Amino acid sequence: MAFSIIFFIGWICITAVYAMKKPYSKWENSALLFSVFIVNVNWSWIIVDELKFITYSKDGLDFSAYMIDRSVIIPLLVVIGINSIPRSQTIIKKVAGILISSLVLIIVKMILLKLGAIHFHGWNIVFSYIYYVLLHSLGYFVLYCYNTFILKGVRQ
């Protein structure tokens, strides 16, 4: 059951990223997506496989649901969250967007917990929420660095 629900959520995320109007260029979104993906995969490897704070189900379909969440849903929802707030908006609106987008990620995590695809050991949902907020902040930092070093270097 977890696989079908998570697959559906992943499919919606892919469709939303493709269909939404993005304020950032394709290169900026690519840099954002790849950096968030790399950090998220490494973070989940440390938390799940090395420190064993979170364990995943040994069932093949539940494990596939965990992998879709880790590799597709989390990076895409971060990209959707960042792209949903236009570039020119105030910091308060960007922070509100980060908090709401992180809440959506927590809802997906709670679905995985409820369906038994993952289990927490020495970890809780608040730690995940803080991680998602920091992941969004990293995304904005990547966009800032991309604008500062890549785009301004090309203009000079």
Side-chain angles (χ1 to χ4, degrees):
M1 185 70 178
F3 176 76
S4 59
I5 292 171
I6 296 300
F7 184 82
F8 179 71
I9 293 171
W11 191 263
I12 289 174
C13 291
I14 291 168
T15 305
V17 166
Y18 179 73
M20 76 183 295
K21 183 177 179 180
K22 298 177 236 5
Y24 300 104
S25 71
K26 290 181 182 180
W27 290 105
E28 289 172 313
N29 278 317
S30 296
L32 173 64
L33 182 67
F34 291 139
S35 62
V36 168
F37 174 76
I38 289 169
V39 168
N40 187 51
V41 167
N42 287 316
W43 176 262
S44 67
W45 175 71
I46 291 169
I47 295 300
V48 173
D49 293 329
E50 295 298 323
L51 298 176
K52 307 248 187 264
F53 286 148
I54 300 172
T55 57
Y56 48 81
S57 175
K58 300 302 179 197
D59 179 48
L61 288 176
D62 287 344
F63 177 73
S64 297
Y66 162 73
M67 293 301 286
I68 291 171
D69 177 57
R70 181 188 82 169
S71 303
V72 176
I73 294 174
I74 293 173
L76 288 179
L77 280 177
V78 170
V79 169
I80 290 169
I82 290 175
N83 278 299
S84 65
I85 307 295
R87 192 185 296 248
S88 61
Q89 291 297 323
T90 63
I91 297 293
I92 294 171
K93 288 186 180 181
K94 288 182 180 180
V95 168
I98 288 173
L99 296 176
I100 292 168
S101 181
S102 297
L103 185 64
V104 172
L105 285 164
I106 287 299
I107 291 169
V108 173
K109 184 71 74 181
M110 289 171 49
I111 290 170
L112 285 169
L113 280 168
K114 184 72 176 167
L115 296 174
I118 61 171
H119 304 284
F120 286 166
H121 307 284
W123 193 259
N124 62 37
I125 211 79
V126 175
F127 294 156
S128 293
Y129 188 77
I130 292 169
Y131 167 67
Y132 294 143
V133 168
L134 292 175
L135 195 61
H136 280 83
S137 302
L138 172 82
Y140 277 113
F141 180 71
V142 165
L143 289 173
Y144 172 78
C145 289
Y146 187 87
N147 251 341
T148 302
F149 300 120
I150 304 296
L151 295 181
K152 291 194 177 169
V154 169
R155 290 182 196 136
Q156 292 177 353

